[in-house]
Amino acid sequence: MTANEKTSPIDELRAQYEELAELAGSLAHEIKNPLSVIHMNIDLLSEDLVEWNSPQSRRSIERVNIVREQCERMQGLLRDFLRYARLRDIDLVSGSLNDQVDAVLRAYKAEAAKRGIEIKRYLDNDLPSIALHSDSLQAALMNLVKNALEATGRGGQLLARTYSTQSSVALDLIDSGRGVDNNTIMHMFQPFYTTKEGGSGLGLPTARKIIEAHGGRISVQSEVGRGTKFTLEFPVLKRIS
């Protein structure tokens, strides 16, 4: 760029955003280290208080446990934030969406059985390949499946279905859970928005960011008391002639 050339307002905003995102990520990382030290010393202090075995120490242990719980919550929040902030360009390779879905459903098979939830799968064996990054895509799918199981009561179902459209490969994740209202649908992909107690509000935004990094998109339909349907669509991998 020459001295006479000017950057556009959009380029300036993008540069400011990238600088702010990098700063926020660095700050979160710096907070993470002293927080780990605090957590470790809280555990040591708790061990000392247990040895005293007095009414005063028992009251102190209760307060220490509150501090530990909040410390663990902050560590989880920082972990989710760093995962969200660091996700940028990822290396994609040819792969099967079915394989990714199957791996995630197998990982949650025991959890679903424990909750009394039936997992049904209808995976199209003729699906074209997509460009994917296995670890990050599975992380996004795990977040969606975990949310679905937590929202579904005993005796409910989670259905996973893959299929081809005219221009994409798609996945539906449909649960028979409690569903959400329109206001929640409007905000659920915004960072730090959550309706779950103790939630970071970064799970769904990170999942969407991962899916978009795959060139895909995610949409949601839900009805309170009836369940929720997430639809993920990915571009078909072009064949080399």
Side-chain angles (χ1 to χ4, degrees):
M1 180 181 296
T2 66
N4 293 328
E5 291 179 333
K6 294 182 179 180
T7 58
S8 70
I10 293 177
D11 288 336
E12 290 179 358
L13 284 173
R14 184 181 293 112
Q16 291 173 7
Y17 171 80
E18 290 178 352
E19 182 180 3
L20 183 60
E22 184 176 353
L23 178 62
S26 299
L27 178 60
H29 186 75
E30 290 302 317
I31 294 174
K32 182 180 176 182
N33 292 331
L35 194 59
S36 296
V37 174
I38 293 171
H39 194 186
M40 179 184 67
N41 280 276
I42 284 293
D43 288 340
L44 295 174
L45 178 59
S46 180
E47 292 175 4
D48 292 340
L49 290 171
V50 169
E51 292 179 0
W52 290 349
N53 193 25
S54 67
Q56 292 83 1
S57 68
R58 285 192 287 273
R59 285 196 300 271
S60 297
I61 288 174
E62 291 177 3
R63 294 164 184 164
V64 164
N65 287 336
I66 292 173
V67 175
R68 180 192 289 111
E69 289 172 2
Q70 294 304 310
C71 187
E72 290 173 350
R73 182 171 181 270
M74 283 297 299
Q75 286 178 315
L77 180 61
L78 285 171
R79 182 178 59 251
D80 290 345
F81 177 79
L82 287 170
R83 186 183 297 119
Y84 178 81
R86 288 172 177 169
L87 181 64
R88 296 190 180 178
D89 295 331
I90 53 179
D91 295 325
L92 304 178
V93 298
S94 175
S96 165
L97 177 60
N98 281 347
D99 289 347
Q100 309 305 309
V101 174
D102 183 65
V104 171
L105 294 182
R106 281 190 284 107
Y108 278 98
K109 182 179 179 180
E111 177 71 12
K114 180 180 177 181
R115 292 175 176 270
I117 299 170
E118 181 185 14
I119 293 180
K120 290 189 172 183
R121 61 181 78 193
Y122 302 95
L123 307 183
D124 185 351
N125 292 326
D126 296 323
L127 277 186
S129 297
I130 64 171
L132 60 82
H133 181 267
S134 182
D135 289 345
S136 63
L137 182 54
Q138 285 192 27
L141 296 177
M142 283 183 172
N143 182 272
L144 296 174
V145 170
K146 179 175 180 290
N147 285 349
L149 294 178
E150 290 176 351
T152 304
R154 184 168 294 274
Q157 291 183 347
L158 171 62
L159 183 150
R161 175 176 60 203
T162 59
Y163 53 96
S164 295
T165 70
Q166 212 168 21
S167 59
S168 68
V169 171
L171 164 66
D172 289 339
L173 288 172
I174 307 170
D175 68 64
S176 60
R178 56 180 174 267
V180 296
D181 57 29
N182 289 334
N183 182 64
T184 301
I185 291 175
M186 288 175 59
H187 297 93
M188 62 169 45
F189 292 111
Q190 295 177 0
F192 303 112
Y193 178 85
T194 182
T195 58
K196 293 195 298 185
E197 184 177 354
S200 68
L202 288 170
L204 285 176
T206 302
R208 183 176 72 171
K209 200 171 182 182
I210 290 171
I211 292 161
E212 290 177 346
H214 283 73
R217 63 179 182 174
I218 180 171
S219 59
V220 58
Q221 297 174 286
S222 190
E223 185 177 345
V224 175
R226 297 289 300 274
T228 301
K229 172 184 175 182
F230 282 96
T231 298
L232 286 60
E233 296 180 76
F234 301 92
V236 174
L237 190 63
K238 294 181 180 180
R239 295 181 179 179
I240 301 175
S241 57

